[in-house]
C-alpha cells in the first residue's frame, strides 16, 4: 500500500466532506466534529448516492438521496438497512492528509 | 328576576368564583365586572414564565373575551372603582360609570409593599404584580443592563431568575440572612442561593436598603452599610399587603385585610370579599389554593347554599424557576417538642427535611428532589402516625412496604382524597371519577374538566400517572413526539427553549437541552439550524454543515448525483434576453434536459456539481438570481396575466405576484412555500391549492392559505378580504412570519394551520392590526440578512471547496507527464 498526500486537514470543514478522484473511483474523505478523518467510496450501497454530499453526524453520514445512514468507520449501513461500502485507509500527520491506495498512484493535481 | 351581581376586580379568584357560580346557579345573576387592568382574566401564577420567555401572554389567559360574552358578563376593562355607596347600593368607577348591585364582591387583590426609602418613586423602580410590570421589565431587559431585585422571597427570586434569563446582570438584595426564610430552613436557603449564584445571579443577604439613587431615573441602590450597587432597573419584591382601602372608605370592618367570616361575608351582609384582599380567621393569603377555596365558598353562598365554610390549611410552596425543584410545607422551625429527619446528598444537590411532632409530620422542606411532596402533604393533612415507617419515611413513598421504585405504584397507593393538584385543590378521586364519567383521554381534557395541573403545572407528572392508572394502555402520554432520537424534547419545546434561554448556536442548543448525541443527526441539525436562522436574524451564523445538500450548494441533487438549476423568473414572467441566456448556458455546458416546472419556471437538469459556479456566473450576467427551487423557503409566486391582458382580470395579478416575490424571496421557512395570484375567480393561477394564494376580485384581494396539492390534496382556507394591494401584502407577510416563528421544521402551512387553528391565525394576522404589524416588521428585519443571492456569492468564491474535488490521483504511469 502506498500513502499519498491529498491536502491538509483544514481543507475539509468540520462535519464536512470532500471527494477525490482516484483510479479506483471517487472517494469521499470526511472530517468529523472532533477532527477524526475517514475515507469511503463515494457511492451509497443503496442506490449509488454521493455520500460526500450528506450530513455528517458523529462518525456517520446520512446519504442525501434516501437517508441511509452509513458508518464512516466500518462502511456499514446502520439501523434496519443492509449494505456496506468500501473503507479506504487515511491518516493525518503534521496536518497533512494521506490516503492509502493499493495501486501505484500519484497526485495529478 | 335576575339579581345584579357586581364584582370589583378581575383576577383569578373572582374568575374561578364565577365558574362555580354559573355551574351552580346558571342565569341567576346579571354580572358586571370592573377591572382596573385593561384586560381579561389571566393566570398570574404564570407571570414568571412570561418574564423568562417560556410562555407568552396568550398562553396564560384563563378567560378570553368570548367567555365574558357567552356568559353575558359586562366587563369594564381599565375601570378602577373609586367608591361604594352602601345605602344606594351602587359602585362608581374612575371613568364615571355607576353600577347598581344586589350583591357585591370585592376582589381587589393586593398591592406591593413599597419600601419607604428616598427615590422609591423614580422611573425605573417597578413592582412585580401584574402584566404591566412584566412588560416594563421586558422593555428594560432589552438594554441588557443591570437590575437589582429587592427581596429574596418567592416573588423576588422568580423575578430575578426571569431577568437573568433575559440576559440582565441581576443582583438580589435581601434583608434576612438566608433566602425565602419563610418557606425554607437555612440549609435549603443556602442550597438555593448557591444554585442561583451558579446561574450568574448575585445575592447580597443581610442587606438593608437605604435609598434608591438617581437624579431623573433609577441609577443604583444604596445599602445601609454604605455599599452602592448600580442598576437601571430596580424591582421591589419586598412583600404584598391586602388592597383594602375601598372597603375601608365604605366603612366596612378591616384589619390587615377586609375582615370576613368563614362564609366570606364582610360586615355588610350583601358584600363579600375574596382573594388576597380578604382576611379570614386572622390570616391573609397569597397562594392560589386557599384563594380558589374562597371562590368556591362565595359561589356557594351566592347560589343560596349556606353550608361550606372556609377552613385554614397549610399550602405547599413551590418555586417556579426552571430547573430548581423546591417544596416547602407547614412549620419547620426547631423546637423542644419536635424531632427532625434529614437526608442530604451534596453530590446530587438533594436536601430533605421532615419536622415531626408526636410522631406526625408538621413540616417538610424538600430541595432538589420533590416527587414525594404530595405524599408528605397527604400524611400531614391526615395526621398519620408515622411510627411504623419512621426508618424509611425520608426515602419517600416508594420505599414503604418494600416495594421498589415504581412511580405508578406510588400513585396507585394514594388514597382517593389525596391531593394531586395543590393550586386547584383537586384530589385523586375527583380526577379518576371525571375521567371515567366523561370518557377523557388527553391531558388537556383532564385539565379542562378538573382544573388539575391547569395552573402552575408542576403536578402534571402526577396527573399523567393517575390517567395512566385509570385508562391503562388507552392513555399514551408520549403525545409529544420527540424531534429525533437525539432528544426527548418535541419541536415546540425546543423552539420555545431556544428563545427562552437565548440559545444562539446549534451546539449551545445541544449542550443546554442535553442532547443525547455529540453532534445531532441528519434530522435535528437542519431543524435546529432553521430555528436559529429564524429566531436570531443577523446574529446567528448559518451552519452550512447542518444544511441538506440542496441548500448547501443551492441546487437540487438528482438521482445520479448531478444537479438541476432553476433561475428565478419573477411571477413567472420572462423575455427574449433571458431565454437566450438560458439557451446559451444549455449549449455551453451540454445540459441534457430542460423542462418547464409547475411553478412557471425553467429547470435545467443534469448539471455536474463542478460546473455549478460557472453556470451561475453566466446566468448572473443575464440578471438571473437563484430561484430557490431547492429551498425550505419561498419558492415561486405563480401568476396569471390579470388586467394587463385578460378581458376578465380584475386587478394587476402579475404585478402583485412579482411584488410579493421581490419582497419575500430569500426567506427561509419551515418547509417550502409556494404561492399564486389569480386575477379573477376563474383562478387560472390555481391559487386555491397553494400554501398562500390570492384571488383578485373587483372589491379587492381575497387571501387564501393552507392549501396542498402534493401528498395531500386540499383546497385553501379563506383568511379574509382586504381592499388594497398594500394591505394584502402586509397580511401575507404577517402570515408567513407567524408560520416561520411557530411551525415545526418540515411542517407545511396546511399542517401547521390545522394544529394552530384557522381562527387563531386569522385573529393574529388579520384582525389584530398591531400584532400583524409586528409580524410584518420582524419579517422585514430578517430579510435584510436573507436577501443575498447565494449564486453570486458562490460565483465570487464563497465555499469554493464545495464544488471541486480536493485532489485527483492518477495511476503513476498516466500522471507522469
Amino acid at each position: 500500500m502506498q500513502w499519498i498526500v491529498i491536502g491538509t486537514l483544514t481543507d475539509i470543514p468540520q462535519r464536512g466532506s470532500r471527494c477525490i478522484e482516484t483510479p479506483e473511483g471517487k472517494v469521499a474523505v470526511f472530517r468529523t466534529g472532533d477532527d477524526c478523518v475517514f475515507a469511503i467510496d463515494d457511492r451509497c450501497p443503496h442506490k449509488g448516492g454521493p455520500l460526500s454530499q450528506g450530513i455528517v453526524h458523529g462518525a456517520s453520514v446520512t446519504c442525501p438521496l434516501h437517508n441511509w445512514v452509513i458508518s464512516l468507520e466500518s462502511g456499514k449501513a446502520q439501523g434496519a438497512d443492509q449494505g456496506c461500502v468500501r473503507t479506504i485507509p487515511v491518516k493525518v500527520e503534521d496536518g497533512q492528509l494521506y490516503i492509502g491506495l493499493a495501486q501505484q498512484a500519484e497526485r495529478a493535481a | 328576576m335576575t339579581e345584579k351581581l357586581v364584582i370589583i376586580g378581575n383576577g383569578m379568584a373572582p374568575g374561578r368564583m364565577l365558574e362555580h357560580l354559573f355551574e351552580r346557579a346558571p342565569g341567576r345573576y346579571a354580572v358586571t365586572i370592573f377591572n382596573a387592568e385593561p384586560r381579561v382574566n389571566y393566570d398570574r401564577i404564570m407571570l414568571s414564565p412570561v418574564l423568562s420567555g417560556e410562555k407568552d401572554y396568550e398562553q396564560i389567559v384563563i378567560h378570553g373575551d368570548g367567555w365574558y360574552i357567552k356568559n353575558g358578563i359586562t366587563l369594564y376593562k381599565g375601570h378602577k372603582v373609586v367608591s361604594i355607596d352602601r345605602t344606594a347600593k351602587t359602585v362608581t368607577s374612575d371613568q364615571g360609570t355607576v353600577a347598581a348591585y344586589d350583591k357585591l364582591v370585592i376582589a381587589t387583590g393586593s398591592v406591593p409593599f413599597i419600601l419607604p426609602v428616598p427615590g422609591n418613586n423614580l422611573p425605573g423602580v417597578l413592582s412585580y404584580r401584574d402584566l404591566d410590570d412584566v412588560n416594563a421589565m421586558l422593555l428594560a431587559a432589552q438594554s441588557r443592563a443591570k437590575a437589582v431585585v429587592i427581596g429574596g422571597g418567592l416573588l423576588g427570586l422568580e423575578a430575578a431568575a426571569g431577568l437573568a434569563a433575559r440576559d440582565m446582570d441581576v443582583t438580589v438584595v435581601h434583608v434576612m440572612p438566608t433566602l425565602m426564610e419563610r418557606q425554607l430552613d437555612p440549609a435549603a436557603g443556602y442550597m438555593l442561593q448557591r444554585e442561583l449564584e451558579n446561574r450568574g445571579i448575585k445575592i447580597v443577604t443581610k442587606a438593608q436598603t437605604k435609598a434608591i439613587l438617581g437624579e431623573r431615573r433609577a441609577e443604583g441602590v444604596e445599602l445601609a452599610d454604605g455599599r452602592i450597587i448600580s442598576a437601571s432597573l430596580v424591582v421591589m419584591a419586598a412583600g404584598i399587603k391586602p388592597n383594602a382601602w375601598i372597603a375601608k372608605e365604605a366603612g366596612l370592618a378591616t384589619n390587615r385585610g377586609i375582615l370576613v367570616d368563614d362564609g366570606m361575608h364582610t360586615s355588610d351582609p350583601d358584600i363579600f370579599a375574596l382573594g388576597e384582599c380578604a382576611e379570614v380567621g386572622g390570616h391573609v393569603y397569597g397562594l392560589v389554593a386557599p384563594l380558589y377555596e374562597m371562590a368556591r365558598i362565595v359561589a356557594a353562598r351566592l347560589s343560596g347554599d349556606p353550608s361550606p365554610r372556609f377552613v385554614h390549611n397549610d399550602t405547599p410552596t413551590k418555586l417556579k424557576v426552571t430547573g430548581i425543584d423546591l417544596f416547602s410545607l407547614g412549620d419547620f422551625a426547631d423546637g423542644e417538642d419536635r424531632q427532625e429527619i434529614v437526608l442530604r446528598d451534596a453530590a446530587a444537590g438533594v436536601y430533605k427535611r421532615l419536622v415531626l411532632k408526636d410522631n406526625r409530620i408538621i413540616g417538610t422542606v424538600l430541595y432538589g428532589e420533590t416527587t414525594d411532596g404530595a405524599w408528605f402533604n397527604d400524611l400531614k393533612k391526615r395526621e398519620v402516625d408515622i411510627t411504623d415507617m419512621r426508618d424509611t419515611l425520608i426515602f419517600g413513598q416508594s420505599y414503604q412496604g418494600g416495594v421498589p421504585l415504581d412511580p405508578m405504584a406510588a400513585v396507585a397507593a394514594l388514597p382517593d382524597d389525596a391531593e394531586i393538584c395543590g393550586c386547584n385543590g383537586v384530589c385523586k378521586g375527583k380526577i379518576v371519577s371525571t375521567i371515567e364519567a366523561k370518557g377523557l383521554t388527553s391531558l388537556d381534557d383532564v385539565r379542562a374538566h378538573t382544573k388539575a395541573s391547569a395552573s402552575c403545572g408542576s403536578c402534571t407528572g402526577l396527573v399523567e400517572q393517575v390517567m395512566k392508572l385509570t385508562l391503562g394502555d388507552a392513555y399514551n402520554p408520549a403525545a409529544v413526539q420527540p424531534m429525533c432520537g437525539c432528544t426527548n424534547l418535541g419541536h415546540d419545546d425546543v423552539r420555545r427553549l431556544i428563545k427562552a434561554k437565548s440559545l444562539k448556536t446549534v451546539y449551545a442548543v445541544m449542550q443546554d437541552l442535553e442532547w443525547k448525541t455529540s453532534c445531532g443527526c441528519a434530522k435535528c441539525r437542519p431543524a435546529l439550524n432553521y430555528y436559529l436562522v429564524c429566531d436570531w436574524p443577523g446574529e446567528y451564523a448559518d451552519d452550512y454543515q447542518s444544511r441538506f445538500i440542496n441548500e448547501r450548494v443551492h441546487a437540487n441533487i438528482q438521482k445520479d448525483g448531478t444537479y438541476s438549476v432553476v433561475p428565478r423568473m419573477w411571477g413567472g414572467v420572462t423575455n427574449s434576453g433571458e431565454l437566450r441566456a438560458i439557451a446559451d448556458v444549455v449549449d455551453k455546458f451540454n445540459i441534457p434536459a430542460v423542462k418547464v416546472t409547475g411553478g412557471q419556471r425553467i429547470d435545467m437538469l443534469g448539471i455536474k456539481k463542478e460546473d455549478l459556479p460557472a453556470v451561475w456566473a453566466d446566468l448572473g450576467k443575464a440578471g438571473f438570481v437563484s430561484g430557490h427551487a431547492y429551498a425550505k423557503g419561498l419558492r415561486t409566486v405563480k401568476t396569471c396575466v390579470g388586467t394587463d391582458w385578460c378581458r376578465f382580470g380584475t386587478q394587476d395579478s402579475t404585478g402583485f405576484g412579482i411584488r410579493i416575490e421581490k419582497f419575500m424571496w430569500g426567506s427561509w421557512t419551515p418547509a417550502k412555500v409556494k404561492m399564486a395570484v389569480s386575477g379573477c375567480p376563474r383562478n387560472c393561477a390555481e391559487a386555491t391549492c397553494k400554501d398562500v394564494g390570492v384571488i383578485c376580485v373587483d372589491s379587492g384581494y381575497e387571501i387564501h392559505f393552507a392549501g396542498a396539492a402534493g401528498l395531500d390534496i386540499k383546497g385553501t382556507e379563506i383568511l379574509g378580504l382586504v381592499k388594497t394591494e398594500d394591505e394584502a401584502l402586509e397580511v401575507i407577510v404577517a402570515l408567513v412570519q407567524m408560520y416561520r416563528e411557530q411551525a415545526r421544521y418540515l411542517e407545511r402551512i396546511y399542517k401547521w394551520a390545522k394544529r394552530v387553528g384557522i381562527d387563531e391565525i386569522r385573529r393574529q394576522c388579520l384582525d389584530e392590526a398591531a400584532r400583524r404589524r409586528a409580524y410584518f416588521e420582524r419579517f422585514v428585519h430578517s430579510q435584510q440578512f436573507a436577501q443575498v443571492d447565494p449564486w453570486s456569492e458562490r460565483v465570487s468564491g464563497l465555499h469554493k471547496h464545495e464544488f471541486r474535488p480536493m485532489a485527483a490521483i492518477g495511476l503513476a504511469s498516466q500522471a507522469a507527464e
Side-chain angles (χ1 to χ4, degrees):
Chain A
M1 192 179 66
Q2 176 198 5
W3 289 105
I4 301 168
V5 178
I6 53 171
T8 65
L9 179 67
T10 50
D11 287 341
I12 310 176
Q14 279 193 329
R15 295 174 306 282
S17 169
R18 290 186 63 184
C19 43
I20 51 175
E21 304 279 1
T22 78
E24 299 159 19
K26 220 175 204 182
V27 170
V29 186
F30 294 87
R31 176 183 174 193
T32 65
D34 51 4
D35 282 346
C36 292
V37 180
F38 300 97
I40 57 178
D41 273 343
D42 193 20
R43 264 186 74 79
C44 181
H46 177 217
K47 301 231 168 168
L51 295 169
S52 58
Q53 315 294 295
I55 289 180
V56 182
H57 44 96
S60 308
V61 63
T62 296
C63 177
L65 292 195
H66 307 96
N67 294 322
W68 276 37
V69 178
I70 308 293
S71 162
L72 299 176
E73 284 164 294
S74 66
K76 288 198 179 111
Q78 305 290 291
D81 299 320
Q82 299 274 325
C84 194
V85 290
R86 186 175 63 123
T87 60
I88 294 123
V90 63
K91 68 176 181 182
V92 184
E93 274 176 17
D94 298 329
Q96 293 285 309
L97 205 48
Y98 296 83
I99 190 165
L101 292 181
Q103 290 172 281
Q104 284 294 314
E106 65 188 48
R107 196 171 161 177
Chain B
M1 208 187 95
T2 54
E3 297 166 68
K4 293 188 283 294
L5 173 64
V6 171
I7 302 172
I8 307 175
N10 192 32
M12 296 169 71
R16 176 55 64 89
M17 189 279 285
L18 285 174
E19 285 182 9
H20 287 306
L21 182 62
F22 293 145
E23 202 176 299
R24 298 186 69 133
R28 174 157 171 186
Y29 291 95
V31 181
T32 302
I33 303 177
F34 288 90
N35 187 13
E37 276 188 70
R39 49 183 75 88
V40 293
N41 178 22
Y42 60 93
D43 189 344
R44 273 160 219 267
I45 303 177
M46 287 298 176
L47 284 175
S48 294
V50 173
L51 180 61
S52 65
E54 287 159 83
K55 291 204 183 277
D56 63 27
Y57 171 62
E58 272 68 29
Q59 289 174 298
I60 68 166
V61 167
I62 298 175
H63 296 139
D65 284 304
W67 183 82
Y68 294 90
I69 294 164
K70 193 181 106 204
N71 289 296
I73 300 168
T74 308
L75 171 62
Y76 291 106
K77 293 182 194 174
H79 279 244
K80 184 179 171 187
V81 168
V82 289
S83 67
I84 302 171
D85 182 337
R86 289 166 55 199
T87 326
K89 295 182 89 169
T90 59
V91 302
T92 306
S93 85
D94 57 350
Q95 308 202 21
T97 303
V98 179
Y101 67 83
D102 296 309
K103 299 284 181 198
L104 176 67
V105 174
I106 303 177
T108 43
S110 59
V111 288
F113 176 68
I114 300 296
L115 292 177
V117 295
N120 65 7
N121 57 353
L122 285 169
V125 181
L126 295 172
S127 56
Y128 183 30
R129 289 302 298 155
D130 59 26
L131 194 70
D132 292 329
D133 293 330
V134 170
N135 287 338
M137 280 189 234
L138 290 179
L139 201 63
Q142 283 177 359
S143 66
R144 305 274 188 267
K146 291 182 165 187
V148 166
V149 176
I150 301 177
L154 199 60
L155 217 50
L157 295 182
E158 289 187 9
L163 292 171
R166 297 287 187 173
D167 277 353
M168 286 194 95
D169 176 348
V170 183
T171 305
V172 174
V173 170
H174 189 48
V175 69
M176 301 303 285
T178 58
L179 297 174
M180 285 180 71
E181 74 287 344
R182 284 173 58 193
Q183 292 88 12
L184 296 183
D185 57 11
Y190 168 74
M191 291 178 78
L192 175 61
Q193 174 167 351
R194 218 176 39 179
E195 170 63 31
L196 292 170
E197 283 169 346
N198 282 343
R199 295 177 178 212
I201 298 171
K202 296 184 209 79
I203 294 181
V204 187
T205 54
K206 292 188 251 181
Q208 186 95 39
T209 302
K210 188 173 156 196
I212 316 283
L213 306 175
E215 288 291 320
R216 266 175 298 169
R217 53 172 298 118
E219 289 165 12
V221 171
E222 183 180 359
L223 303 180
D225 63 8
R227 264 184 292 179
I228 290 173
I229 306 166
S230 70
S232 56
L233 172 67
V234 177
V235 178
M236 290 244 190
I240 55 170
K241 54 184 181 189
N243 183 8
W245 71 270
I246 185 110
K248 205 180 232 170
E249 292 273 294
L252 297 171
T254 59
N255 180 33
R256 270 193 296 164
I258 306 168
L259 286 172
V260 293
D261 62 14
D262 60 5
M264 309 313 292
H265 295 99
T266 65
S267 54
D268 180 328
D270 288 326
I271 303 181
F272 294 85
L274 89 151
E276 290 177 329
C277 64
E279 177 175 339
V280 50
H283 293 279
V284 292
Y285 295 89
L287 295 170
V288 72
L291 305 183
Y292 277 176
E293 179 62 12
M294 292 180 190
R296 200 175 62 81
I297 287 161
V298 173
R301 297 295 164 123
L302 282 172
S303 60
D305 175 1
S307 56
R309 292 174 184 284
F310 185 84
V311 184
H312 171 79
N313 245 326
D314 284 329
T315 307
T317 307
K318 292 164 193 164
L319 187 71
K320 285 178 299 301
V321 173
T322 308
I324 297 185
D325 289 323
L326 186 160
F327 176 96
S328 138
L329 172 75
D331 183 351
F332 45 81
D334 291 326
E336 295 231 337
D337 55 346
R338 297 165 179 199
Q339 295 145 342
E340 58 178 10
I341 302 175
V342 176
L343 172 79
R344 288 179 202 267
D345 181 344
V350 170
Y351 170 82
K352 301 184 183 187
R353 177 160 170 252
L354 297 174
V355 180
L356 308 176
K357 186 176 172 181
D358 303 329
N359 288 320
R360 282 164 181 86
I361 296 175
I362 61 165
T364 305
V365 179
L366 306 176
Y367 187 96
E369 219 293 304
T370 58
T371 42
D372 282 309
W375 185 60
F376 291 134
N377 185 18
D378 188 55
L379 292 178
K380 172 179 173 294
K381 209 159 84 181
R382 294 190 292 129
E383 300 182 6
V384 174
D385 187 328
I386 51 85
T387 312
D388 290 344
M389 49 183 166
R390 189 170 175 133
D391 290 348
T392 53
L393 183 65
I394 194 84
F395 300 115
Q397 186 177 22
S398 46
Y399 274 84
Q400 309 311 317
V403 183
L405 286 157
D406 174 7
M408 291 296 287
V411 175
L414 284 176
D416 272 357
D417 64 348
E419 189 174 85
I420 301 287
C421 172
C423 293
N424 293 297
V426 185
C427 62
K428 181 182 156 193
K430 165 92 177 162
I431 299 175
V432 172
S433 62
T434 314
I435 289 172
E436 285 168 350
K438 310 223 172 195
L440 309 180
T441 53
S442 75
L443 182 62
D444 282 345
D445 286 345
V446 171
R447 281 180 179 152
H449 285 97
T450 67
K451 305 287 177 203
S453 105
S455 291
C456 82
S458 61
C459 63
T460 305
L462 279 176
V463 173
E464 286 186 319
Q465 284 170 11
V466 173
M467 293 179 66
K468 207 163 184 181
L469 271 176
T470 316
L471 293 167
D473 290 341
Y475 177 59
N476 171 21
V480 174
Q481 192 75 31
M483 270 179 80
C484 63
C486 304
T487 177
N488 294 329
L489 295 169
H491 284 269
D492 299 338
D493 286 335
V494 169
R495 289 211 79 168
R496 212 174 53 236
L497 289 164
I498 284 173
K499 296 287 270 187
K501 299 179 135 202
S502 285
L503 305 175
K504 298 190 179 177
T505 66
V506 168
Y507 300 96
V509 174
M510 291 180 180
Q511 183 62 36
D512 256 56
L513 305 186
E514 298 179 343
W515 239 241
K516 291 185 268 185
T517 50
S518 67
C519 67
C521 70
K523 272 189 183 166
C524 59
R525 282 235 309 277
L528 295 179
N529 188 60
Y530 165 72
Y531 294 154
L532 294 163
V533 163
C534 173
D535 287 342
W536 310 111
E539 287 184 72
Y540 172 67
D542 206 325
D543 176 22
Y544 273 85
Q545 298 311 133
S546 292
R547 282 194 180 271
F548 184 64
I549 183 66
N550 286 0
E551 293 185 351
R552 201 178 335 139
V553 301
H554 295 275
N556 289 58
I557 195 164
Q558 302 298 322
K559 60 181 270 190
D560 61 353
T562 65
Y563 289 83
S564 85
V565 161
V566 180
R568 199 168 277 287
M569 282 178 181
W570 307 100
V573 176
T574 186
N575 56 44
S576 61
E578 286 186 350
L579 292 172
R580 201 167 283 124
I582 288 175
D584 288 344
V585 166
V586 170
D587 286 347
K588 179 169 167 187
F589 295 94
N590 283 320
I591 294 173
V594 183
K595 165 100 182 54
V596 175
T597 73
Q600 301 180 336
R601 307 296 144 103
I602 290 175
D603 191 359
M604 290 166 266
L605 296 122
I607 301 173
K608 289 193 286 294
K609 191 181 185 190
E610 303 86 280
D611 286 341
L612 286 172
V615 167
W616 295 333
D618 282 6
L619 290 171
K621 280 180 209 147
F624 282 117
V625 296
S626 166
H628 290 93
Y630 46 81
K632 311 295 174 211
L634 177 78
R635 291 274 176 98
T636 52
V637 182
K638 189 172 172 178
T639 67
C640 71
V641 291
T643 44
D644 276 351
W645 297 96
C646 180
R647 64 206 163 100
F648 299 117
T650 60
Q651 310 280 357
D652 177 15
S653 51
T654 322
F656 185 38
I658 292 171
R659 184 174 170 199
I660 294 173
E661 195 165 340
K662 292 212 160 165
F663 201 88
M664 301 187 76
W665 74 273
S667 60
W668 300 102
T669 45
K672 61 185 168 187
V673 173
K674 294 179 169 181
M675 301 195 188
V677 184
S678 282
C680 80
R682 287 168 191 78
N683 191 16
C684 295
E686 295 162 343
T688 50
C689 62
K690 293 287 181 274
D691 294 293
V692 181
V694 177
I695 303 285
C696 299
V697 290
D698 258 341
S699 57
Y701 301 79
E702 194 173 72
I703 298 171
H704 289 240
F705 74 117
L711 281 170
D712 296 307
I713 307 264
K714 184 183 168 300
T716 45
E717 306 284 341
I718 296 178
L719 189 67
L721 178 76
V722 296
K723 287 202 179 64
T724 66
E725 203 180 279
D726 289 351
E727 287 171 273
L729 183 72
E730 185 171 304
V731 172
I732 290 168
V733 167
L735 168 69
V736 171
Q737 180 65 14
M738 182 178 173
Y739 166 64
R740 295 181 75 225
E741 291 176 12
Q742 295 189 357
R744 300 166 187 164
Y745 189 64
L746 300 185
E747 182 178 48
R748 293 287 291 268
I749 288 190
Y750 72 102
K751 290 193 173 160
W752 164 73
K754 190 175 170 204
R755 200 160 55 76
V756 176
I758 306 294
D759 292 340
E760 180 62 21
I761 294 169
R762 183 178 298 120
R763 185 170 73 79
Q764 296 197 22
C765 299
L766 189 67
D767 299 345
E768 293 183 7
R771 194 182 266 259
R772 179 176 77 224
R773 193 72 211 166
Y775 277 127
F776 180 84
E777 275 160 13
R778 284 203 290 281
F779 183 85
V780 170
H781 173 72
S782 101
Q783 281 297 79
Q784 339 168 20
F785 311 103
Q787 279 194 333
V788 179
D789 177 33
W791 287 358
S792 66
E793 279 187 307
R794 279 156 189 76
V795 169
S796 323
L798 184 72
H799 299 153
K800 60 172 180 265
H801 63 79
E802 187 64 70
F803 300 96
R804 268 185 265 143
M806 183 177 185
I809 298 165
L811 289 175
S813 56
Q814 293 174 340
E817 288 175 16

